[in-house]
Amino acid sequence: MKTGIIIGATSGIGLEVSRQLVQKGWKLGIAGRRVELLEKIQAELGKNNIEIGFIDIAAENSEDQLKKLIQRTEENFGKIDLIFNVSGIGSQNKDLKLDIELNTVKTNALGFTRMMDTAFQYFTEKGSGHIAAVSSIAGTKGLGAAPAYSATKRFQNTYLQCLAQLATIRNLDIKFTDIRPGFVDTDLLKTGTYPLLMKPTDVAKSIVKAIESKKRKLVIDWKYAIITFFWRLIPDCIWERLKISN
Ligand SMILES: NC(=O)c1ccc[n+]([C@@H]2O[C@H](COP(=O)([O-])OP(=O)(O)OC[C@H]3O[C@@H](n4cnc5c(N)ncnc54)[C@H](OP(=O)(O)O)[C@@H]3O)[C@@H](O)[C@H]2O)c1
């Protein structure tokens, strides 16, 4: 039996991963801001499998909120093996509305840092553990249609790399998984049409496999792996002249 914490489990990718991990015998502490949804998921997946906790990663006390959920989950299900941050927001913002940009930074950069640092300190104290996060392919290159989203996703990629190297420097047995999906049919993409849209259930299946094998990085799916491979080869002076809008 394995035990994990999933932050951002109330909908979309996090919800599907929670369902599939419970099917595989995992016990989970799940979190998000919509407590009514957390209660519904707990009823669906069983109180003997799920602990719930309110976490707003953008709040200044989200570190304490995560610690409380970790403590309750440990009391019910034992040692925590995995802390997985799926939570995040994102939208296109070609008009560069400042509130959208700042809120995205507050959640995907500041909130993300709080969750990752709390997880790192926790596993440092425990002696070992696994930290995973859903970032995005949007961090591969700067995307003009969604500046804060794209930049904060690159921030997440780099932050995880920093923590992985820090674990090496400090001789810590902490593993890291950076999940980078392309477009997934969830509430995050409620407006607009998107190419190569993937189903959350399929994406969750790949994520569960990556988590169980503690894979360091995963682009989902193979088509996006090819696309981002070629994106990386494009020189910046050409990239900035491309009209990529979604
Ligand atoms: N959909 C895509 O195409 C796509 C592609 C690549 C990467 N991603 C990434 O995948 C992750 C999950 O997104 P999704 O597509 O599954 O969309 P979603 O259905 O909107 O899920 C977002 C999740 O994040 C949680 N969340 C948002 N802000 C939060 C906050 N301040 N504190 C705590 N939880 C918060 C939400 O819970 P509450 O609202 O209950 O707080 C929800 O559970 C995001 O990080 C997103 O950037 C998505």
Side-chain angles (χ1 to χ4, degrees):
M1 188 190 90
K2 289 213 161 197
T3 303
I5 299 286
I6 303 191
I7 307 147
T10 49
S11 60
I13 298 170
L15 171 58
E16 283 309 322
V17 171
S18 303
R19 284 183 173 135
Q20 293 185 22
L21 284 178
V22 166
Q23 265 172 21
K24 285 180 161 270
W26 282 64
K27 306 287 181 186
L28 300 176
I30 60 168
R33 294 165 300 177
R34 289 170 291 174
V35 174
E36 69 289 357
L37 291 182
L38 293 172
E39 286 166 351
K40 219 169 132 192
I41 298 161
Q42 190 184 39
E44 176 193 328
L45 300 178
K47 275 196 169 174
N48 52 335
N49 296 315
I50 297 283
E51 182 58 57
I52 59 174
F54 171 90
I55 298 181
D56 176 358
I57 69 163
E60 281 188 10
N61 66 340
S62 60
E63 178 189 349
D64 296 332
Q65 294 167 353
L66 175 56
K67 282 181 181 164
K68 276 186 195 147
L69 177 62
I70 289 174
Q71 193 186 346
R72 282 206 314 281
T73 307
E74 259 182 339
E75 280 164 13
N76 285 339
F77 305 132
K79 181 179 148 283
I80 308 288
D81 302 287
L82 166 77
I83 298 178
F84 184 23
N85 183 70
V86 188
S87 65
I89 57 171
S91 44
Q92 292 210 4
N93 191 13
K94 288 180 203 146
D95 297 332
L96 218 57
K97 288 189 180 126
L98 193 58
D99 59 328
I100 293 180
E101 294 301 89
L102 294 183
N103 205 23
T104 305
V105 172
K106 197 173 161 193
T107 305
N108 295 358
L110 301 187
F112 177 84
T113 303
R114 287 193 192 97
M115 295 301 98
M116 292 297 100
D117 286 10
T118 309
F120 191 94
Q121 303 292 15
Y122 171 76
F123 287 134
T124 301
E125 279 165 28
K126 293 288 161 181
S128 66
H130 183 192
I131 295 175
V134 174
S135 59
S136 171
I137 59 154
T140 311
K141 284 271 199 187
L143 296 170
Y149 186 69
S150 181
T152 54
K153 290 299 175 180
R154 173 66 80 95
F155 174 92
Q156 295 181 354
N157 302 149
T158 306
Y159 205 84
L160 285 170
Q161 186 167 57
C162 297
L163 293 187
Q165 192 182 60
L166 183 60
T168 306
I169 293 168
R170 291 174 54 183
N171 292 319
L172 299 170
D173 182 17
I174 305 177
K175 301 283 184 287
F176 295 86
T177 299
D178 181 353
I179 312 275
R180 302 175 185 181
F183 294 127
V184 190
D185 190 5
T186 66
D187 293 349
L188 193 115
L189 299 186
K190 47 192 171 298
T191 53
T193 50
Y194 295 87
L196 303 175
L197 203 58
M198 298 178 286
K199 286 191 207 145
T201 43
D202 295 338
V203 171
K205 212 168 158 187
S206 303
I207 292 176
V208 166
K209 222 169 138 190
I211 283 174
E212 293 202 316
S213 61
K214 297 198 172 107
K215 199 174 162 82
R216 175 66 188 83
K217 275 181 225 165
L218 176 68
V219 174
I220 306 173
D221 55 5
W222 64 270
K223 295 185 225 70
Y224 283 102
I226 293 171
I227 291 168
T228 51
F229 172 81
F230 284 109
W231 278 7
R232 265 188 223 101
L233 298 180
I234 299 174
D236 288 347
C237 58
I238 295 177
W239 178 262
E240 288 164 15
R241 287 167 186 274
L242 299 177
K243 291 192 174 179
I244 297 176
S245 49
N246 62 25

